[in-house]
Amino acid sequence: MYGMVNQAVRGLVTEKFGADTWTKIHTGAGAPENFSAMQPYDDAVTYNLVGKAVEVLGLPAEAILAAFGQYWVSDIATKHYDTMMASTGRDFADFLANLDHMHQRIRVTFPDYQPPSFRVKNLEPGKLQVDYYSHRPGLLPFVEGLFMGLGVYFKEEISFEHIDDTAHRLPCKRMIVWHKALS
Ligand code: HEM
């Protein structure tokens, strides 16, 4: 993944747990202390960082990935890409429907990247079926964190239920997502 993703892992760890914890994690993972945002790194770098963070922080990978998803929205996307966030959607459902288009638009900046893809179907008001396609395994908890972060951003309450892979034949992770404006 592009260095900006690993940079964000570094940002989350140093802000929440301090520089010494980051030193333990990046040295243990055999990763550099910092990353070049616009340079692609092997996905193994990111997976190793998460694996080492599990060990050092004593937290499950799911919790770390979910926290990272929330942090990505609250501290990276909204701080550094606010215009893009604002132009991608006016609420959670609208934003998700346009997210593929947004990732495509930034392909000019990240020519070698492999963004995810989301197919969104409105089942009824406030209820979506979301199919998440990715070249990478295990990132569903990251997506959950991103959705929770988007909920905070759009002031909506988000909840979801995962649909078992055996319930459909598509090569994606399927979930039902409920969203409701906070009053
Ligand atoms: C607006 C700022 C955003 C930027 C600049 C951005 C950019 C990126 C970049 C560079 C990657 C790494 C892909 C690679 O290097 O191959 C990525 C991955 C990803 N992005 Fe975005 N993104 C943004 C917002 C979002 C939001 C709001 C979501 C919410 C669902 C999202 C969902 C994902 C996911 C799930 C991945 C992991 C890749 C995978 O699943 O295979 N992104 N994005």
Side-chain angles (χ1 to χ4, degrees):
M1 289 211 242
Y2 268 83
M4 65 174 297
V5 174
N6 300 323
Q7 255 181 356
V9 175
R10 175 182 184 269
L12 173 66
V13 171
T14 49
E15 275 171 41
K16 304 262 190 274
F17 302 98
D20 290 352
T21 305
W22 172 243
T23 303
K24 280 186 202 145
I25 292 174
H26 84 81
T27 50
E33 198 281 320
N34 206 346
F35 308 87
S36 165
M38 296 306 166
Q39 184 191 315
Y41 291 79
D42 197 293
D43 280 0
V45 175
T46 315
Y47 282 98
N48 287 345
L49 286 173
V50 175
K52 216 10 109 179
V54 167
E55 236 175 88
V56 172
L57 303 175
L59 293 168
E62 291 76 18
I64 293 170
L65 286 167
F68 183 49
Q70 296 211 24
Y71 180 82
W72 183 264
V73 176
S74 63
D75 286 72
I76 308 295
T78 44
K79 287 192 184 153
H80 302 287
Y81 296 89
D82 198 34
T83 318
M84 198 185 298
M85 289 293 288
S87 64
T88 299
R90 60 186 182 286
D91 57 29
F92 178 80
D94 191 36
F95 187 93
L96 268 201
N98 295 325
L99 185 57
D100 278 11
H101 184 61
M102 187 216 83
H103 272 125
Q104 284 311 321
R105 268 168 54 203
I106 55 178
R107 191 170 282 287
V108 242
T109 318
F110 305 105
D112 294 324
Y113 94 148
Q114 291 197 300
S117 177
F118 294 88
R119 304 283 148 78
V120 186
K121 193 168 151 189
N122 265 296
L123 296 179
E124 55 189 69
K127 186 178 177 186
L128 307 170
Q129 175 182 284
V130 179
D131 287 349
Y132 158 58
Y133 290 82
S134 169
H135 299 276
R136 307 181 170 93
L139 297 185
L140 193 56
F142 174 54
V143 172
E144 288 180 10
L146 285 160
F147 285 6
M148 296 312 283
L150 288 173
V152 173
Y153 179 70
F154 288 113
K155 301 189 175 55
E156 291 185 54
E157 191 185 316
I158 307 295
S159 55
F160 31 70
E161 180 189 312
H162 295 293
I163 305 297
D164 201 84
D165 287 350
T166 56
H168 61 85
R169 290 164 177 274
L170 297 171
C172 65
K173 295 288 172 196
R174 175 167 288 180
M175 56 194 125
I176 304 296
V177 184
W178 287 267
H179 59 101
K180 195 171 105 186
L182 288 168
S183 44

